[in-house]
Amino acid sequence: MLDKAETLIEALPYLQRYAGRTFVVKYGGHAMGDPELAEDFAQDIVLLKACGINPVVVHGGGPQIGRMLKALGIESQFVDGLRVTDKQTAEVAEMVLAGAINKELVSWISRAGGKAIGISGKDGGMVIARKVQSKSPKAIEEDGEPLVVDLGFVGEPDRIDTTVIDTVCAAGMIPVIAPIGVGEDGETYNINADTMAGAIAAALGASRLFLLTDVPGVLDKDRNLLTDLSPADIAALAEDGTIQGGMIPKLETCVHAVEAGCEAAVVLDGRVPHAMLLEIFTSRGAGTLIRA
């Protein structure tokens, strides 16, 4: 019992520091497919709200979309390894993200004792998206430049209106946001969940952006965890090949967020039970902190 009391005392200065602040949490990876980890995550979110912190959840769902497309007999198209989201695929993505996954997560939070509202970036004009044009890593134009590939209905946030989020948080509820936006042309665009969370964190001036991943954080070449990085550190690590693959766009999202108004971003392992609480409320932390 004394150990539990000491744990609460250790958390006290952090509770005081973050009371009234906003945390944006991107929920995804293998943690989404594990009922025990989903329950832990929901409990963590409800605890944050009870402590006076305003958690804003943004979730992914790539594997679930892939399974639904397969079940419906819809083949994914790829150009040089890049997935093309046609009209039919975009409709399925919205159905899975804003429907099944979003409401399931709301249900988990409700079961943990919280009040959550499931929405997407289309609600209240929250996220106005612009179409993404990606450069192929393989196809080269005559002038030697990478060929621009049309990925279909894939977008990125262009403008964020936080009115809906502010209203939900002020009402004592937790917004759970699916990464779907609408363009100026009225079309629906699927948005990368990391990118969506980073843009929302910047627009809200959040105290923290958490990206829950399937790795402990950013590792050095000896596989040791790097606990504190600046944008300059990240650029150097990318240049020497220490960070590569899927970690690069995640860290780019973190850098963009902290340079655009978010105080700090954290990459941590969502497979570790209550990793977010360990990061927030202890002096040791649990992941990699990125701040300007």
Side-chain angles (χ1 to χ4, degrees), residues 90-282:
E91 290 173 351
V92 172
E94 183 173 16
M95 176 180 68
V96 173
L97 290 169
I101 296 176
N102 188 270
K103 302 315 174 190
E104 182 180 23
L105 188 48
V106 166
S107 178
W108 278 109
I109 293 173
S110 297
R111 200 177 311 173
K115 292 185 177 180
I117 296 290
I119 54 180
S120 80
K122 295 173 71 173
D123 292 304
M126 184 196 314
V127 179
I128 302 301
R130 58 174 174 265
K131 184 181 177 69
V132 169
Q133 297 287 353
S134 181
K135 293 185 177 181
S136 168
K138 298 180 181 179
I140 305 296
E141 294 182 340
E142 293 181 0
D143 60 2
E145 291 294 318
L147 183 67
V148 175
V149 177
D150 186 348
L151 298 180
F153 295 94
V154 176
E156 61 186 6
D158 186 32
R159 299 194 308 277
I160 304 267
D161 184 340
T162 65
T163 302
V164 172
I165 299 174
D166 295 335
T167 302
V168 171
C169 291
M173 293 181 284
I174 300 164
V176 179
I177 305 171
I180 300 291
V182 63
E184 296 283 7
D185 54 4
E187 295 286 1
T188 296
Y189 289 93
N190 188 18
I191 301 172
N192 176 274
D194 288 344
T195 304
M196 182 92 149
I200 289 174
L204 289 170
S207 179
R208 288 290 184 275
L209 163 66
F210 292 95
L211 297 185
L212 302 186
T213 68
D214 293 331
V215 294
V218 182
L219 307 178
D220 65 17
K221 290 184 177 180
D222 295 322
R223 310 299 293 173
N224 297 312
L225 179 66
L226 298 171
T227 59
D228 206 326
L229 295 175
S230 68
D233 295 329
I234 291 170
L237 291 170
E239 187 173 349
D240 70 12
T242 300
I243 55 174
Q244 51 190 305
M247 184 57 72
I248 292 178
K250 287 185 181 297
L251 291 176
E252 287 177 345
T253 292
C254 292
V255 170
H256 291 158
V258 299
E259 290 182 342
C262 179
E263 289 184 13
V266 183
V267 178
L268 73 166
D269 196 340
R271 301 168 301 177
V272 176
H274 307 297
M276 191 162 51
L277 300 185
L278 295 173
E279 171 64 31
I280 300 166
F281 296 130
T282 69

Side-chain angles (χ1 to χ4, degrees), residues 28-46:
H30 286 93
M32 290 187 68
D34 186 317
E36 289 187 8
L37 290 175
E39 184 178 8
D40 289 343
F41 174 78
Q43 291 172 344
D44 292 352
I45 293 298
V46 173

Side-chain angles (χ1 to χ4, degrees), residues 65-84:
I65 293 171
R67 287 196 292 269
M68 181 59 74
L69 289 171
K70 185 175 181 180
L72 295 173
I74 302 172
E75 292 188 9
S76 297
Q77 301 177 30
F78 293 86
V79 176
D80 294 328
L82 301 173
R83 183 192 294 271
V84 177

